[in-house]
Amino acid sequence: MRAGSVVEVAVPLPVDRTFDYALPAGGRADPGARVLVPYGGRRVVGVVVGSREPEGRDPSLRRVIEVLDAERPALPALLLEVVLEAARDALCPPGVALAAALPAGTAPRPVWRIVLQQGGERALARGEARGEVERCLSELARGPLSEADLKARFPGVAPGLERLARLGWLRREAATRAPRVREKKRRVHRLAPDLDYREARERHARAPRRLEILERLRAAPAPLPAGPALRSLVAEGAVEWSEEPVRRDRAEEPLAPAQAQPELTAAQSEALDELEAAIREGRGQPFLLYGVTGSGKTEVYLRAARIALDQELGVIVLVPEISLTHQVVDRFRDRFGDRVAVLHSGLSAGERFDHWRRIRAGEVPIAIGARSAVFAPFERLGLIAVDEEHDGAYKSGDAFRYHARDLALLRARASGCPAVLGSATPDVETAFRSTRGEIRTLRLPERVERRPLPQVEIVDMERERRRRGKRALLSTRLRQVIAETLKANQQTLLFLNRRGFATMVYCFACGFAQRCAHCDIALVYHAGAARRRRDDPVEGELRCHYCGHVEEPSLACPSCGSADGGLLGFGTERLAEEVAAVFPHARVARLDRDTSARKGAQRSILAAFHRREIDVLVGTQMVAKGHDVPGVTLVGVVAADLGLHFPDFRAGERTFQLLTQVAGRAGRGEIPGRVVIQTFLPEHYAIDLASRHDFPRFYRQEIARRRPHGYPPLRSLIHLALTGRRGEDVEAAALALAERARERVRDEPVEVLGPAPAPLTRIRDEFRWQLLLLGEIEPARRIARELQGGARFAGVRLRLDAHPLQML
């Protein structure tokens, strides 16, 4: 598209339209370029989505303040089109979606700044200003301040800013600050090209520091610390300097030693042949790589990536969890060296920007990361691989509620390259599309080297409770097999999808349970948290896992004052403590969000596990999928039925997937694996079929259960969530919105479900109601847009999700 002098700009605000702006004379901004524009009395950074020549002079047309990507658009043209299409599908404003596709903090920051006026100068000169106002005006006389800085430094002045502006003492105006994240550079010094080195040495013979600098730079250019000797050599022209970019990524030791490239199985070869044909022919075809755990799906990605790179095409590999990037990145770097970029939120903003910039500059052809890596700015793509495609972590819960798998399919189709969706437990919706011929299925039915799948044993915890007379965290059978595994010098993985030490602090005298002051949820006790004060009577803290609110635990009940209280429930922290108590000689570690919060901690724990420095690793779903640790021969699932109690039609699917995936961590080396699943629902179909590794039968049963209700994938679902500070306002808005919805769905293949309070009725002091549209996707989207456009409820916000995975 040729750039015109009028550009169509999407701004990063909740407005479902774009705006026209005039370019400066001689300016150019291609689609995908970022521009700084005025909007509503302030400045915002938008993205150009189109351009045209003006039909005539339009004095009302506002002007672009600055083109930020004059040389090369931040978003390649194809990626721009894909994000705009995904925004329409997700019922998201275009500017909000485009902002999510760009690295955060890399654009100038629009701010309000305060500028001293002539009236303020006269007030200072005449002594009319007093106290903090005088100090503030004196500071402004040195130069403008941002409004945020002024309020922080002169809090007493902040409430009177409008009055001072009316007096003509100061002015509030739109401005910009430099980006938070920029290319990092350093000065590199070198000898001047025309320097007579011998003569320079003689001239500085009595200056040892200058001689040292000359000798060092004669060997090679180098960054040097500033000092008088260096400044003197630069001033006389003996030394020159230039700025060079610095990469902020860190070289890290691989988790496991590199392995020789394995010989492909027959099934892997067949799958690779089909992918190779699609890559070479430029077919934007979706594939489901359905293979049991340990069947070598990553090796297929590696070989297909080689084929794409041979065609000088880019490759994107998505993984659902940051914890999985380490092992995948290691394997790709072992095969492709430094030609791999990494994109995920576990990196610093500067590190992410450096990787993004290298991709945009064409310096690296492979991007690996979590869901945001789907926006890697490649011009030409040859392959997109979505590993563990079933995982709910691919769904964004932010303003742009995209699903990375669906966006990957859109991008592959637009780029003319295959998209490979890999899983041992495919998403039911993906499998449904596969049965209809929309996605081609490639099968890997056996583990590599014909290794057997692990043997799975189910322990009925209700029977265990009756036999032992009490509930236990670890059954007799699980304790027995852990002991056997430790004796054999092998490793154990224990899975419990719940953090903390106890899920509830409960008073047995009055029945009071400590709940979050801001959410309708019980506080979780974390025993390992440090005391806030030395005189705290109780260690640990009570923490809300939804808003982060923290309270100090008390020895007495806050309601009745009784000391007859206790801890109910359990989490990974308590499980790790119990394992360490039962097996005091075992090296026990924990991997969950608490232990991996510090940068580098996650990789450090995984590296120790790979080096066999950990005998028993306790973890949440961070340990449940993707990890390939040959020493693990036992997997224990401590509470298999936790997820089955959620009010969600996908509860059985998620439980089946988690159990099958975590079971697949066992027996990936030479020694066969075994799995022990503890549950109070041993006959539940999801648990029973997971123990048999039987996805085809699970899929048939799951579809049969959803069919009478028309749940996805049989029909589409759109979630309308209303939130606000006043519960009665939210309820009234939900009832009114539902009435409008029912009026609009007449004669449409769409059903309205609700309204009803959300299962978690209050989070972060906001009350929550919801309703659902169930039916054909296009009419449902149209109705949702109409409802959103007409929804004006004081103090209540409406959010739409066109593909909801969580409705709590």
Side-chain angles (χ1 to χ4, degrees), residues 648-663:
D648 189 336
F649 70 90
R650 293 190 178 94
E653 178 184 7
R654 292 198 181 101
T655 297
F656 174 86
Q657 289 166 343
L658 267 175
L659 295 181
T660 304
Q661 291 289 335
V662 73

Side-chain angles (χ1 to χ4, degrees), residues 267-276 278 285-292 295 297 300-301 304 418-423 426 434 439-445:
Q268 285 176 311
S269 295
E270 290 176 11
L272 186 62
D273 288 345
E274 292 215 33
L275 294 177
E276 180 173 9
Q285 182 176 356
F287 292 90
L288 169 60
L289 186 60
Y290 166 47
V292 300
S295 58
K297 292 183 286 292
V300 175
Y301 306 151
V420 188
L421 313 180
S423 181
S434 175
I439 298 177
R440 172 97 170 113
T441 302
L442 310 173
R443 288 180 169 80
L444 305 179

Side-chain angles (χ1 to χ4, degrees), residues 429-486:
E429 296 181 38
T430 302
F432 183 75
R433 294 183 63 189
S434 175
T435 62
R436 293 163 57 122
E438 298 174 22
I439 298 177
R440 172 97 170 113
T441 302
L442 310 173
R443 288 180 169 80
L444 305 179
E446 295 180 344
R447 283 188 160 186
V448 295
E449 299 180 7
R450 296 189 176 277
R451 290 173 183 153
L453 287 168
Q455 295 295 313
V456 181
E457 181 180 347
I458 295 178
V459 175
D460 184 342
M461 293 301 285
E462 178 60 28
R463 183 179 298 173
E464 178 85 2
R465 184 191 66 80
R466 290 197 301 267
R467 187 180 64 80
R468 296 176 63 174
K470 62 177 182 178
R471 289 189 175 181
L473 200 52
L474 297 175
S475 64
T476 303
R477 179 57 179 159
L478 186 51
R479 290 186 183 209
Q480 178 186 343
V481 292
I482 292 173
E484 292 171 1
T485 305
L486 290 170

Side-chain angles (χ1 to χ4, degrees), residues 577-596:
E577 183 178 293
E578 180 155 331
V579 171
V582 175
F583 304 102
H585 301 297
R587 297 167 297 177
V588 181
R590 201 172 97 235
L591 180 61
D592 55 27
R593 193 181 302 174
D594 299 322
T595 61
S596 62

Side-chain angles (χ1 to χ4, degrees), residues 70-83:
E71 295 183 6
R72 175 191 288 143
L75 292 174
L78 273 180
L79 178 55
L80 173 68
E81 293 175 13
V82 166
V83 175

Side-chain angles (χ1 to χ4, degrees), residues 134-286:
E134 180 186 12
R135 294 193 297 275
C136 176
L137 295 181
S138 298
E139 186 65 32
L140 288 173
R142 300 189 181 97
L145 289 174
S146 75
E147 186 174 17
D149 287 347
L150 185 145
K151 288 180 176 179
R153 295 173 64 178
F154 305 102
V157 177
L161 281 178
E162 290 187 12
R163 183 180 65 83
L164 296 176
R166 287 196 300 271
L167 290 172
W169 289 13
L170 49 80
R171 184 179 77 252
R172 184 175 183 259
E173 64 181 23
T176 52
R177 273 186 171 179
R180 272 191 308 105
V181 183
R182 287 167 281 180
E183 184 178 45
K184 185 177 181 180
K185 293 187 175 182
R186 65 178 179 180
R187 285 188 176 184
V188 176
H189 297 83
R190 54 181 54 81
L191 297 180
D194 57 351
L195 177 71
D196 185 332
Y197 181 74
R198 180 175 297 178
E199 188 272 335
R201 278 187 59 85
E202 292 174 357
R203 189 168 65 253
H204 297 292
R206 296 186 178 182
R209 177 61 183 141
R210 295 180 200 173
L211 279 178
E212 181 185 340
I213 291 172
L214 290 172
E215 289 175 4
R216 182 172 178 185
L217 294 182
R218 188 187 186 194
L224 298 175
L230 181 60
R231 285 195 293 270
S232 174
L233 291 171
V234 170
E236 73 176 43
V239 171
E240 298 177 345
W241 62 267
S242 61
E243 286 193 332
E244 296 183 359
V246 178
R247 284 175 53 184
R248 282 166 278 204
D249 56 337
R250 296 164 291 127
E252 293 177 310
E253 287 294 318
L255 294 178
Q259 296 179 347
Q261 185 168 295
E263 184 178 340
L264 295 181
T265 65
Q268 285 176 311
S269 295
E270 290 176 11
L272 186 62
D273 288 345
E274 292 215 33
L275 294 177
E276 180 173 9
I279 293 169
R280 295 189 184 280
E281 295 167 15
R283 278 191 276 124
Q285 182 176 356

Side-chain angles (χ1 to χ4, degrees), residues 394-590:
Y394 283 125
K395 173 73 177 185
S396 171
D398 299 328
F400 180 22
R401 296 189 160 192
Y402 67 93
H403 196 299
R405 178 194 62 219
D406 297 339
L407 212 149
L409 293 173
L410 285 177
R411 192 166 183 191
R413 186 183 67 194
S415 302
C417 76
V420 188
L421 313 180
S423 181
T425 55
D427 185 284
V428 166
E429 296 181 38
T430 302
F432 183 75
R433 294 183 63 189
S434 175
T435 62
R436 293 163 57 122
E438 298 174 22
I439 298 177
R440 172 97 170 113
T441 302
L442 310 173
R443 288 180 169 80
L444 305 179
E446 295 180 344
R447 283 188 160 186
V448 295
E449 299 180 7
R450 296 189 176 277
R451 290 173 183 153
L453 287 168
Q455 295 295 313
V456 181
E457 181 180 347
I458 295 178
V459 175
D460 184 342
M461 293 301 285
E462 178 60 28
R463 183 179 298 173
E464 178 85 2
R465 184 191 66 80
R466 290 197 301 267
R467 187 180 64 80
R468 296 176 63 174
K470 62 177 182 178
R471 289 189 175 181
L473 200 52
L474 297 175
S475 64
T476 303
R477 179 57 179 159
L478 186 51
R479 290 186 183 209
Q480 178 186 343
V481 292
I482 292 173
E484 292 171 1
T485 305
L486 290 170
K487 187 176 180 181
N489 293 319
Q490 295 158 10
Q491 293 172 285
T492 297
L493 195 64
L494 293 181
F495 169 65
L496 174 59
N497 207 20
R498 180 187 279 165
R499 290 186 294 139
F501 188 89
T503 52
M504 185 182 294
V505 179
Y506 185 80
C507 176
F508 296 109
C510 70
F512 177 79
Q514 286 193 251
R515 302 179 72 82
C516 176
H518 309 284
C519 308
D520 280 336
I521 196 74
L523 293 171
V524 176
Y525 176 63
H526 288 255
R531 292 185 182 182
R532 295 187 170 189
R533 301 189 310 269
R534 289 186 179 180
D535 60 346
D536 282 348
V538 184
E539 290 186 351
E541 66 183 18
L542 299 173
R543 192 183 307 164
C544 176
H545 285 179
Y546 285 86
C547 73
H549 173 69
V550 173
E551 292 184 15
E552 296 176 8
S554 171
L555 292 174
C557 172
S559 177
C560 70
S562 170
D564 187 16
L567 301 173
L568 299 181
F570 49 85
T572 48
E573 192 176 5
R574 180 177 171 189
L575 175 59
E577 183 178 293
E578 180 155 331
V579 171
V582 175
F583 304 102
H585 301 297
R587 297 167 297 177
V588 181
R590 201 172 97 235

